Amino acid sequence: MNIGVSLLQRSMSLNYKILFLLALCICNAESADPLGQYCNADTNIGSGSQISANIDSLLAELVSKTTSNGFFATSYGKNQDQVFGLAQCRGDVSRTDCSSCIQDAAKQIRQRCPNQADARIWYDFCFLRYNTQSFIGEIDTSYGILYGNVENVTDPDAFNKELGTLFDQIKAQAVDTKNEGLGKGKTKLSTFVTLYALVQCTRDLAPVDCAQCLAIAAGNFENFCKDRKGCRVLYSSCYVRYELYPFFFPLDSKPNDTLADTVMAILP
């Protein structure tokens, strides 16, 4: 059973008011449903506007060009109607799964954010976003989604030590340019228990910015997932996750689907 936490962080604000919205949902790792989306209500546009038409053209290009190497960033249009876009698949998934995910993302983001010029959507296998303001090459941790397992580990001190060591290893992988922002690994905690972890930055980030984004993302573990058996944080620029079951490819075995109580926390 998992807790999903969606959070909006503004780094200049020290005082946060928290609004919790509770819902019960069925989570299926192979579902076409996204993990979450962000539709910026401050960027409303008309459905018949030039920007809206440019978004459609941009999405078509992202769908057609992302699959070849798992990442694509571009822009479409000119002057005040120009739209910037980025799409990336998780680095361990197949080209077929990448293509399917990006197609779903392009379709769903327009359905879920039909009148917003700034929109983002997260899936298990991919991420897609667009905006009229250029964001390419910039760290963005302004809005994120967090899922945490509701169960605690039995030996927190030993677990957190192993988790810290594993994360240091895979973060080092991610900032190595030859790995294109991806780091993954596993470590044995006991005869029958293995810890799995994966991190990824969007490929437009410089290594130093990737490291910074991953540090910010992992910093949420202490506040939201302390001593939990699993946790994942998804930002627009990076992604971190750990579990006590295999979730990245190649899989050791197929994890069971679960029911999840989801919690949304908005930190304005």
Side-chain angles (χ1 to χ4, degrees):
M1 185 171 284
N2 292 323
I3 292 179
V5 181
S6 173
L7 55 115
L8 174 62
Q9 294 182 324
R10 293 183 181 176
S11 59
M12 299 302 294
S13 175
L14 298 177
N15 298 315
Y16 297 115
K17 295 179 181 178
I18 302 177
L19 172 66
F20 289 96
L21 303 175
L22 306 179
L24 182 67
C25 74
I26 296 177
C27 292
N28 184 327
E30 296 180 350
S31 170
D33 290 335
L35 296 172
Q37 69 276 331
Y38 172 64
C39 311
N40 190 342
D42 295 328
T43 62
N44 286 339
I45 55 174
S47 58
S49 66
Q50 185 60 53
I51 291 178
S52 182
N54 288 347
I55 289 173
D56 289 335
S57 297
L58 175 78
L59 289 174
E61 189 172 8
L62 290 175
V63 168
S64 67
K65 295 184 178 179
T66 300
T67 304
S68 60
N69 69 351
F71 171 82
F72 191 66
T74 188
S75 65
Y76 194 92
K78 297 180 179 179
N79 302 322
Q80 71 272 13
D81 296 322
Q82 187 174 19
V83 183
F84 301 84
L86 179 151
Q88 179 165 309
C89 291
R90 215 175 70 190
D92 61 311
V93 304
S94 68
R95 181 172 295 188
T96 298
D97 287 337
C98 176
S99 176
S100 177
C101 189
I102 294 297
Q103 290 181 54
D104 286 341
K107 179 181 178 180
Q108 288 295 320
I109 197 170
R110 285 299 264 163
Q111 292 181 359
R112 294 166 185 258
C113 307
N115 300 312
Q116 285 75 44
D118 175 14
R120 309 146 201 207
I121 193 164
W122 291 262
Y123 282 79
D124 196 18
F125 287 174
C126 69
F127 168 73
L128 186 150
R129 70 177 298 191
Y130 53 78
N131 198 344
T132 51
Q133 302 297 317
S134 179
F135 54 82
I136 308 301
E138 299 179 1
I139 300 174
D140 188 347
T141 56
S142 61
Y143 184 92
I145 300 170
L146 188 149
Y147 285 90
N149 195 301
V150 297
E151 295 183 353
N152 287 343
V153 297
T154 56
D155 188 349
D157 290 339
F159 178 82
N160 289 325
K161 181 179 179 180
E162 293 291 344
L163 177 62
T165 299
L166 181 57
F167 258 88
D168 286 343
Q169 294 171 357
I170 63 177
K171 283 188 289 185
Q173 294 176 24
V175 299
D176 189 331
T177 54
K178 72 174 182 291
N179 293 321
E180 298 182 325
L182 177 69
K184 61 177 181 173
K186 60 183 179 179
T187 186
K188 278 277 191 180
L189 301 182
S190 69
T191 304
F192 302 105
V193 180
T194 300
L195 174 63
Y196 301 83
L198 181 146
V199 300
Q200 185 170 17
C201 295
T202 53
R203 296 190 208 170
D204 59 313
L205 291 188
V208 64
D209 294 327
C210 175
Q212 182 179 347
C213 187
L214 293 176
I216 293 171
N220 287 287
F221 291 165
E222 180 70 19
N223 294 328
F224 293 97
C225 300
K226 185 176 176 59
D227 303 332
R228 303 293 188 178
K229 289 184 175 181
C231 189
R232 54 177 150 170
V233 181
L234 303 98
Y235 283 127
S236 298
S237 294
C238 65
Y239 163 96
V240 298
R241 182 180 182 184
Y242 72 86
E243 306 285 357
L244 291 180
Y245 59 82
F247 65 90
F248 56 76
F249 297 103
L251 290 175
D252 290 341
S253 62
K254 188 179 188 300
N256 293 328
D257 297 332
T258 61
L259 291 176
D261 292 309
T262 62
V263 180
M264 177 178 286
I266 301 175
L267 309 181

